[in-house]
Amino acid sequence: MKPAPFDYVVPRTVCEAVEALGDTGRKAQVIAGGQSLILEMHLLRIGPELLVDINRIPELDRMSVEGDELRVGALIRHATFESADAVPGPLGALLSRAVVNIAHSPIRSRGTMAGSFAYAHPASEWCAIGVALDAAVEVIGPGGAREIAARDYFLGPNHTARRPQELITAVRLPLLGENTGVGFIEHRRTHFTFAQVAVAAALTVNDGVISAARIGLVNSADRPVRARNAEWSLLGADIGPLPSGPRLPDDHPFARAGRVAAREDAAPVAEPYADVDYKRQAIAVLVGRTLLEAAADQRARLAAREGHHG
Ligand SMILES: Cc1cc2nc3c(=O)[nH]c(=O)nc-3n(C[C@H](O)[C@H](O)[C@H](O)COP(=O)(O)OP(=O)(O)OC[C@H]3O[C@@H](n4cnc5c(N)ncnc54)[C@H](O)[C@@H]3O)c2cc1C
């Protein structure tokens, strides 16, 4: 289908973009990578009267480490994160493990992390990582600039605390400390479709004992979920030698955390090929496996560091 006619402007600065979005006479919409927006327009789900193309604003095309955070400007494409070296430390590893699950390469070369936060699809990998890591979303609009914590930002499918006239300028994520390992595992029906369920995890371990855990669930509710009950169930657990083989013993802390996440944190929504029970089972299994991956990653990092110093 053909979208309804619309006007198109290409601002060169954030100020110009905000001015265009604040033009209250018309229903305006930002276009970044266009990988969700154009599809929505073709399906006539949305009909903007004005498209504000932010692709020529150099200040949005920057990524930087600021203190212990990564600041990702609104034009940074998904593909940037395909190399684990693009971002230092465990955060770089987490982003690079997750990104290959987003669609396919042409979409990843155009789509942006900020666009995913704006679109707020419950199956977005970035959004679940955002809530798990307590990301901050920087926005600017006619009323000025503000920052929204990821925990307050996602309100439902394609629904966020961002006001329609606000532009996301950047997303900030913590780099994650030295004793932290990460994991990301996704389950989907076919290549290039959205996840049925996926899990992001970051585990901080000191002397074999878990001191912090962050777990994000993809497509496990009407919005990205931070599995706080599962995280709490892990604090203080002594994980000892890591189990081998695909199945965790039922009484292992990771298996228990998986059951807690599925029962207490997730609120799955049925889909044609995944009903609620199926999703809960998938969440329980994937959380356990992702935590195991994160623990193995933490040990590998520790061994590499000790080898380096020794
Ligand atoms: C076949 C296919 C498969 C896909 N699979 C996945 C997947 O597995 N996982 C996944 O996460 N995504 C997937 N996507 C979506 C893709 O990741 C998009 O790139 C992403 O959702 C939006 O980023 P974008 O930069 O393309 O945004 P756009 O399409 O340009 O915009 C999307 C929405 O966000 C708004 N917006 C964009 N940037 C800003 C900003 N800076 N400030 C305010 N509003 C803004 C737009 O106005 C629009 O409403 C898929 C898309 C397709 C077509």
Side-chain angles (χ1 to χ4, degrees):
M1 274 183 277
K2 291 268 188 295
F6 54 87
D7 289 331
Y8 175 76
V9 292
V10 188
R12 305 290 159 149
T13 65
V14 167
C15 277
E16 284 177 23
V18 170
E19 222 166 83
L21 286 168
D23 173 358
T24 48
R26 287 183 289 185
K27 261 197 301 176
Q29 195 107 28
V30 169
I31 178 164
Q35 300 303 303
S36 297
L37 179 80
I38 299 296
L39 189 65
E40 295 276 324
M41 287 171 67
H42 271 288
L43 294 173
L44 302 184
R45 287 201 199 120
I46 52 170
E49 292 161 351
L50 173 67
L51 280 191
V52 180
D53 184 342
I54 60 171
N55 283 279
R56 300 281 186 280
I57 304 180
E59 63 196 279
L60 297 179
D61 200 6
R62 289 184 197 136
M63 183 164 82
S64 54
V65 171
E66 297 180 4
D68 55 3
E69 287 185 325
L70 178 74
R71 185 173 185 276
V72 182
L75 283 177
I76 300 298
R77 316 285 166 181
H78 303 317
T80 308
F81 303 100
E82 286 178 20
S83 153
D85 299 334
V87 174
L91 178 64
L94 178 60
L95 300 179
S96 70
R97 285 180 202 192
V99 71
V100 289
N101 294 287
I102 300 178
H104 47 72
S105 179
I107 289 176
R108 293 200 293 270
S109 72
R110 293 298 304 161
T112 61
M113 182 185 275
S116 292
F117 273 72
Y119 191 53
H121 195 290
S124 156
E125 290 80 1
W126 291 152
C127 297
I129 288 176
V131 291
L133 302 194
D134 261 336
V137 183
E138 295 180 17
V139 298
I140 186 164
R146 65 186 181 121
E147 158 178 330
I148 312 169
R151 64 179 169 277
D152 303 322
Y153 176 81
F154 296 102
L155 304 178
N158 307 113
H159 183 35
T160 71
R162 181 180 65 84
R163 299 182 190 117
Q165 293 171 337
E166 283 178 325
L167 169 75
I168 299 179
T169 46
V171 173
R172 294 201 323 272
L173 296 157
L175 286 176
L176 301 173
E178 260 199 347
N179 292 328
T180 301
V182 294
F184 189 95
I185 302 182
E186 177 153 320
H187 178 61
R188 55 173 178 257
R189 268 188 72 235
T190 61
H191 276 312
F192 313 140
T193 56
F194 279 92
Q196 279 185 331
V197 168
V199 178
L203 273 187
T204 307
V205 182
N206 289 297
D207 298 326
V209 174
I210 297 175
S211 56
R214 293 167 176 275
I215 303 172
L217 306 180
V218 177
N219 211 12
S220 303
D222 69 348
R223 64 194 78 179
V225 173
R226 179 164 184 188
R228 286 191 183 272
N229 293 304
E231 292 175 1
W232 284 326
S233 80
L234 289 164
L235 295 183
D238 188 337
I239 47 178
L242 297 182
S244 56
R247 204 185 141 85
L248 284 165
D250 279 348
D251 60 351
H252 192 278
F254 296 161
R256 274 204 304 270
R259 291 194 295 274
V260 171
R263 210 174 43 231
E264 298 175 24
D265 294 309
V269 178
E271 290 173 40
Y273 295 99
D275 64 19
V276 169
D277 283 346
Y278 176 86
K279 280 197 174 183
R280 282 199 201 278
Q281 284 181 37
I283 292 162
V285 172
L286 287 201
V287 166
R289 287 188 189 165
T290 312
L291 289 168
L292 188 58
E293 186 177 297
D297 182 59
Q298 189 273 334
R299 287 198 182 172
R301 284 171 192 282
L302 186 65
R305 224 172 39 243
E306 285 172 353
H308 182 71
H309 291 311

